[in-house]
Amino acid sequence: MRVVISVSGKYYAFDLARQLLADGSLERLITGYPRFRVKDLGVPPDKLVSLPLGQLIYRAWAVLPQALRKFYDPMLLVGELFDRQARSRLKDCDIFTGWSGFCLHSMRRARRGGAVTLVERASSHILFQQEIMREEYDLCGIVGPLAHPGIVERELREYEESDYIVVPSSFVKRTFLGQGIAEGKLIHNPFGVDLTYFHPGRKDDDVFRVVFAGGLSLRKGVHYLLRTFAELNLPGSELVLIGTVSAEIRPFLKKYAGKFRWIGTRPQGELREHFSRGSVFVLPSVEEGLAMVQLQAMACGLPLICTTNTGGDDLVEDGKEGFVIPIRDVEALKERLLYLYRRPEECGEMGRSAEARVRGKFTWDDYGRRTRANYRRILQERR
């Protein structure tokens, strides 16, 4: 079995590459990352193609004034550039796996060479994503960023022309089914977590600490968490926010100033420390695919409160490892937080159950086994 991975950034593609390297099935990794950023993967030089030009363009674009950046989405150019470069660097393979938005031309080339083609889509169907975020921006009374129509059209063609679409959660699968994609075309494979980084540590105080990690944005539902925590006003509690701040969330941070502690972005090696100091991890997102911070926090022994649109309902049995609530439901979030606040022993037991569930089913080795089984199945069906 020979597999080519094509990914403009990093995402979880490097974890997939490690799994395929372990059994010798990785034929080539084509990435937008520079070689020095992927040297620790151990990919032999003849199996690694680095195409960093698109990443350089994107980083340069990010430092331009906002007044200039609002007129064009650089990902349209970056996606097209990376894809055309990747197309020219393909090798013959049995399976081609490309990341959505970056693989239309290379996927077509791989199919002509006889490969089975898979598109990895880490978020919900792009039409669902566009609509729910447009709805959220309207609710908040702002004009927020949506994907360029050219990006949407490109992704839709990738969905249509690929042999399979790989999705990380039942939630994402439902959004594709809702857009008329045949169930037989969808492969459901949840992500994993690296237990060498994420495992329980010591919590040395009695503070009921609610932890959030991710981009501070409307998409992540941070505004709902801020409102919830401020209105609960629980004695001996703290809300800790980890991640980059988007412009759209700044008015909410200003409104609830003094009700939370923001510690900025933290490298992966430090997240375990912050998770271990927590009591519960909350991800109130309006739309996700399967946020990996959920798995990471659970591996550190935190119960999870998440929405139906985070992929978290694949990870927790409601009331056992945490709770799954509807999107935008402040009252439901209040109720679940108050429940755990008043029952510290049960909160701890849920955290231990969360850790056990991740260890038993959601490591990267588990992900790799499911991936290889899926690949063998679709190759067998092709014969």
Side-chain angles (χ1 to χ4, degrees), residues 212-285:
F212 166 92
L216 275 63
S217 65
L218 297 184
R219 177 175 174 253
K220 297 283 187 175
V222 175
H223 47 314
Y224 297 114
L225 178 55
L226 288 166
R227 176 185 162 190
T228 296
F229 194 79
E231 291 181 1
L232 279 175
N233 195 29
L234 300 173
S237 68
E238 180 182 43
L239 171 61
V240 176
L241 305 178
I242 306 171
T244 57
V245 174
S246 65
E248 66 195 28
I249 209 70
R250 290 188 184 279
F252 295 94
L253 296 179
K254 183 177 181 181
K255 177 179 180 180
Y256 295 106
K259 301 296 185 181
F260 63 91
R261 181 163 61 94
W262 174 62
I263 60 174
T265 303
R266 289 291 183 267
Q268 181 170 272
E270 291 185 19
L271 286 178
R272 171 184 171 266
E273 177 184 350
H274 296 290
F275 290 160
S276 295
R277 291 174 180 169
S279 305
V280 57
F281 187 83
V282 178
L283 192 69
S285 301

Side-chain angles (χ1 to χ4, degrees), residues 284-327:
S285 301
V286 174
E287 185 274 335
E288 293 273 359
L290 179 63
M292 282 187 270
V293 288
Q294 297 174 114
L295 287 160
Q296 294 165 355
M298 291 172 69
C300 292
L302 293 188
L304 170 67
I305 300 178
C306 62
T307 69
T308 52
N309 290 13
T310 66
D313 52 359
D314 285 355
L315 308 180
V316 303
E317 180 182 341
D318 193 63
K320 183 177 181 182
E321 297 90 9
F323 299 104
V324 182
I325 63 174
I327 62 170

